Amino acid sequence: MSSTGKKEAEERSNPAGSARTLSLTVCSAAIGGTFQYGYNISIINAPTIYIQNFINDTYMERWKTVLDTPQVTLVWTLIVSAFSLGGLLGALLAGPMAVRFGRKASLLLNNSFLLVGAVVVLTCKVAKSFEMIILARFLVGINSGVSMNIQPMYFGESAPKHLRGAVAFSSAVFTAFGIFFGQVVGLTELLGSEPLWPYLLASNALPALIQLATLPWFPESPRYLLIDRGDREACVHALGRLRGGHVPPLEMEEMLQEQQMSAALKSGSSASAKTPWSLFKDRDLRFQLRTVMTASSAMMLCGNDSIYFYASYIFMEAGIPPEKIQYITIGTGASEFTASILSNLMIEWVGRRYLLIGGYSLMACWSVVFTIALTLQSQGVAGMAYLSMACVFAYILSFGLGPAGVTGILPAEIFDQTARPAAYMVAGSLMWISLFLVGMLFPFIVNGLGNYCFLPFLVVCLVSAVVLGLTMPETKGKTLAQITAEFDRKNGRVMQVEEPEQYQLGKASSFTTLTDNPESGHKTDHKTSGKSTNGTEVLGYI
């Protein structure tokens, strides 16, 4: 059997045990992670009127005068924007937290923001303070900013190469599920009524408690344990648990090589994590950084979140009774959830590049159709309201098929261990800044452009599809060295991907140094990135 064939067989060994532990780890991390992001975006929509009334009543009781409609709208905008500002701070905290505490511990600590926020929002009525809602949403935003960065990092470092995309894409699946579930919980028959809206906003504490009870039972990221902490024994133990009791020798060797390469960059000393500033100054990573910055900005600037807010107007114009709109709106969340599941199944078959480019291309097409439908609808053409409604669902489906999930995978796949936290800080910061800008500017865009309000999003989708098509290589099933070589070739830098002699097995990076009592294994042919090391001894551990 060839070296490649042996590696594929090794990666798929003991699939039942490996899949079970990995699946439970994913569910435990995501239920208190990206699920919370989608859920907290969704639940704020249902009680809008009730919160605005609470703002006015509180102000009236405090100052004996009522707020004008623009003033109420301004306070409401602050409540909505606090989530984005908190997310930006969370994205900046995520990198240092991931390095200092580890991926799993950071996710656990991150729940403290949610729990404090839940207490604050539950007591805002008693305290008669709408400012407490702003504080609560800011804390919830910090939680989302941290989890949106650390969770994909944790998944990308814990999954085997042949499942890396699907596991990392599950972050998008849980985000979409959070949006859908938040829409359901926000129904007036459940928690979306006037007396219960504080409990609706505080309901995010339940997923946080579930994660606190379950995630400690699952392993830390093996790559973090080996490369950041230098704890080989803990790495072997964690990798064994995630792979069903068997440590794949070639996967372990790949991590050792990455560790040795990182240490070599520091003249043999332990490699320290990069900062965002040092990442910007590193010319060798500038093309990777541009790709991540483009994808992260486009994800929020493409208008998918705006179309959720626009959906109610579209449905009303289509003749849907106002009391039924909340049920139709649930279909938008269900559409993204369905698309994310479908994309999760397709990503290892189609690849990241085609899903990302195809998603933005489809969104650009639907933007054109949507604009035409809105224009004709304003002129009284029959049936255009239904075409507009179909475009809402089609736009969200296209977003869920590609950009929603692939964007979060990219930093984990194209940056090494020392640069990965900083890359997620940059990507996360751009995502939250873009979300804040769209949230603040979209009402003015609607007022200024009217039926043509989605043309700016059309431009974003087209530019993103073209730029990513020209610069982004396919990362499916490739090692970090292979992906780096692809970036070099695309940008006119032809480099031979060759590991230094010290990275070969039997040398400084020998797998035999992992434990005190290794079991001698068999000999196999193995190719490091671009260099063959035939006849190298490979060891396995149970």
Side-chain angles (χ1 to χ4, degrees):
M1 183 184 294
S2 66
S3 175
T4 303
K6 288 181 180 180
K7 189 167 185 176
E8 293 295 325
E10 174 200 280
E11 288 177 336
R12 289 164 174 78
S13 61
N14 197 9
S18 174
R20 181 171 58 251
T21 304
L22 190 61
S23 298
L24 291 174
T25 302
V26 165
C27 291
S28 178
I31 198 66
T34 52
F35 172 87
Q36 291 279 27
Y37 168 71
Y39 187 74
N40 286 298
I41 278 183
S42 181
I43 59 174
I44 194 64
N45 293 324
T48 299
I49 299 299
Y50 307 135
I51 294 177
Q52 290 178 347
N53 290 337
F54 173 70
I55 293 169
N56 221 340
D57 293 344
T58 302
Y59 194 86
M60 176 66 183
E61 186 173 348
R62 189 183 300 173
W63 304 106
K64 308 305 180 184
T65 183
V66 296
L67 290 170
D68 296 332
T69 300
Q71 293 173 317
V72 174
T73 303
L74 176 62
V75 177
W76 173 249
T77 303
L78 290 175
I79 292 174
V80 174
S81 301
F83 180 75
S84 301
L85 294 175
L88 175 60
L89 177 58
L92 295 174
L93 290 174
M97 285 179 66
V99 173
R100 180 175 179 82
F101 302 110
R103 286 39 165 166
K104 186 181 79 169
S106 295
L107 290 174
L108 291 170
L109 288 171
N110 191 35
N111 289 296
S112 60
F113 298 111
L114 272 178
L115 297 176
V116 173
V119 173
V120 170
V121 79
L122 282 174
T123 55
C124 68
K125 273 193 170 182
V126 176
K128 298 179 181 179
S129 171
F130 59 80
E131 294 88 351
M132 294 175 69
I133 305 177
I134 300 175
L135 175 60
R137 291 297 292 179
F138 181 76
L139 292 172
V140 168
I142 295 176
N143 172 273
S144 296
V146 171
S147 63
M148 287 286 284
N149 282 9
I150 294 182
Q151 183 184 304
M153 197 187 312
Y154 180 39
F155 288 175
E157 294 174 1
S158 301
K161 189 175 66 176
H162 68 285
L163 293 177
R164 189 176 59 202
V167 169
F169 206 104
S170 61
S171 297
V173 174
F174 276 91
T175 298
F177 179 52
I179 292 173
F180 171 70
F181 194 73
Q183 290 172 336
V184 173
V185 175
L187 292 173
T188 53
E189 293 85 351
L190 297 176
L191 297 180
S193 59
E194 197 279 332
L196 298 178
W197 66 261
Y199 297 96
L200 174 62
L201 296 186
S203 61
N204 52 29
L206 182 58
L209 293 174
I210 293 175
Q211 184 179 79
L212 286 171
T214 57
L215 189 57
W217 298 97
F218 297 104
E220 176 60 272
S221 157
R223 288 183 182 270
Y224 168 78
L225 292 172
L226 178 66
I227 301 173
D228 287 309
R229 285 179 46 183
D231 192 340
R232 297 187 178 189
E233 184 177 352
C235 172
V236 171
H237 179 69
L239 190 61
R241 289 187 62 194
L242 290 167
R243 301 297 180 267
H246 169 69
V247 178
L250 296 178
E251 184 178 357
M252 191 69 225
E253 179 195 359
E254 182 186 332
M255 286 194 289
L256 281 166
Q257 290 173 350
E258 184 177 344
Q259 181 196 36
Q260 293 287 339
M261 291 169 65
S262 298
L265 293 176
K266 297 293 181 179
S267 301
S269 63
S270 298
S272 59
K274 285 182 176 292
T275 64
W277 179 244
S278 64
L279 194 62
F280 277 107
K281 293 194 297 182
D282 192 336
R283 295 178 61 85
D284 293 334
L285 296 176
R286 58 182 176 179
F287 297 112
Q288 288 92 321
L289 189 60
R290 288 176 186 174
T291 300
V292 167
M293 291 174 66
T294 300
S296 300
S297 301
M299 182 180 176
M300 294 304 180
L301 294 176
C302 68
N304 183 72
D305 291 324
S306 299
I307 211 166
Y308 277 105
F309 298 110
Y310 209 63
S312 297
Y313 166 75
I314 297 297
F315 297 151
M316 190 177 297
E317 290 296 310
I320 306 297
E323 66 274 11
K324 301 295 182 182
I325 287 179
Q326 62 175 338
Y327 303 104
I328 303 298
T329 302
I330 291 177
T332 59
S335 296
E336 186 170 340
F337 182 42
T338 303
S340 63
I341 293 176
L342 179 60
S343 186
N344 185 264
L345 299 174
M346 294 171 56
I347 188 168
E348 294 298 345
W349 174 50
V350 178
R352 287 71 154 149
R353 184 172 183 270
Y354 289 112
L355 283 179
L356 195 60
I357 297 170
Y360 281 123
S361 299
L362 286 173
M363 291 166 71
C365 294
W366 293 121
S367 297
V368 174
V369 177
F370 197 20
T371 302
I372 294 173
L374 288 174
T375 303
L376 295 178
Q377 181 179 330
S378 65
Q379 297 175 1
V381 178
M384 288 299 103
Y386 295 99
L387 179 58
S388 299
M389 190 164 63
C391 286
V392 169
F393 288 99
Y395 199 88
I396 293 173
L397 279 168
S398 301
F399 177 78
L401 279 174
V406 176
T407 306
I409 299 173
L410 293 181
E413 290 199 330
I414 67 179
F415 289 96
D416 65 17
Q417 194 78 6
T418 59
R420 197 171 292 134
Y424 268 108
M425 288 175 65
V426 173
S429 298
L430 287 173
M431 287 174 59
W432 287 101
I433 291 172
S434 300
L435 179 63
F436 175 77
L437 290 176
V438 170
M440 294 294 291
L441 296 178
F442 185 67
F444 299 99
I445 293 174
V446 172
N447 291 333
L449 297 180
N451 296 327
Y452 302 98
C453 61
F454 273 83
L455 289 182
F457 302 132
L458 165 64
V459 174
V460 170
C461 292
L462 281 177
V463 171
S464 302
V466 172
V467 171
L468 293 172
L470 293 174
T471 62
M472 179 183 166
E474 181 55 66
T475 61
K476 179 185 69 172
K478 294 179 180 177
T479 65
L480 178 64
Q482 292 170 329
I483 294 169
T484 302
E486 286 284 342
F487 271 104
D488 291 336
R489 281 194 291 268
K490 275 185 168 290
N491 296 285
R493 297 173 57 204
V494 181
M495 298 179 64
Q496 182 180 1
V497 184
E498 184 176 47
E499 302 295 347
E501 184 179 356
Q502 69 191 77
Y503 306 145
Q504 297 179 27
L505 292 178
K507 305 285 185 181
S509 62
S510 174
F511 195 26
T512 61
T513 62
L514 282 174
T515 64
D516 294 331
N517 186 28
E519 297 176 7
S520 180
H522 57 280
K523 291 188 177 183
T524 184
D525 292 338
H526 173 63
K527 291 182 180 180
T528 58
S529 302
K531 185 172 182 178
S532 175
T533 57
N534 295 329
T536 305
E537 188 175 11
V538 179
L539 303 178
Y541 300 87
I542 301 298

